Amino acid sequence: DGIRDVAVTGVQTCALPIFNGLDVTDEGFDVGGSIRDVVIELTTKPTHVDGHVHDSRGVPQAGVGVIVFADDARKWTLAQNRRVMSTKTDKDGAFSLSALPSGSYFIATVPQLIDGEWASPDNLESLRRFATAFTLGDGEQKTLTLIVR
């Protein structure tokens, strides 16, 4: 009983916290009184999605917003959301995102990422129509090429 000391070495990512037998990765749980039956799985192999964005002629597109979001709309508004992420392409049109949970996703480009708007469910729903679908397994590294329309 009680807290056990655990030595963790190397780069670790929380893969799966379980409380009372339930995955609480995104919903979290209230801490009150004594806590029992908590398991936290760590991984040294987080998922990674990278790639390039270019136009129809193959010209790299710098500064373009890239949005990755779960294919399940119920996961767009979770309190601890790791299933909706964004980044901008660099000067060579490259992008990179890490530590998405395994699952099915969409990825889309937008001219700009506007704070408070890009991750809204209405925006994600409109992006879904022209987004590219992909899946990501545990620890998988995926490279995608996106074309700006």
Side-chain angles (χ1 to χ4, degrees):
D1 255 350
I3 297 173
R4 297 183 186 152
D5 291 325
V6 178
V8 178
T9 60
V11 176
Q12 304 286 321
T13 298
C14 181
L16 184 65
I18 299 172
F19 178 62
N20 287 333
L22 300 172
D23 176 356
V24 294
T25 307
D26 298 304
E27 292 84 9
F29 62 94
D30 290 326
V31 176
S34 65
I35 300 173
R36 299 185 189 283
D37 196 23
V38 175
V39 176
I40 300 175
E41 293 180 15
L42 300 176
T43 181
T44 57
K45 297 180 180 179
T47 60
H48 191 83
V49 178
D50 64 10
H52 287 87
V53 177
H54 58 80
D55 65 14
S56 60
R57 296 172 294 154
V59 177
Q61 299 296 293
V64 171
V66 177
I67 302 173
V68 173
F69 53 103
D71 72 343
D72 181 350
R74 295 173 297 177
K75 296 179 179 175
W76 298 347
T77 57
L78 297 172
Q80 303 294 322
N81 204 330
R82 301 175 309 134
R83 290 177 170 86
V84 178
M85 292 186 178
S86 71
T87 190
K88 285 185 178 180
T89 58
D90 66 14
K91 64 180 177 54
D92 299 316
F95 66 89
S96 180
L97 291 163
S98 294
L100 286 155
S102 61
S104 297
Y105 291 91
F106 288 110
I107 186 167
T109 60
V110 293
Q112 60 182 332
L113 297 169
I114 300 171
D115 287 343
E117 291 181 20
W118 70 264
S120 75
D122 288 342
N123 186 53
L124 298 178
E125 186 61 44
S126 69
L127 291 175
R128 186 196 299 241
R129 290 188 291 263
F130 64 88
T132 301
F134 71 98
T135 58
L136 201 54
D138 290 338
E140 186 174 359
Q141 314 292 304
K142 182 131 336 199
T143 299
L144 302 169
T145 299
L146 305 173
I147 301 171
V148 174
R149 291 174 169 69

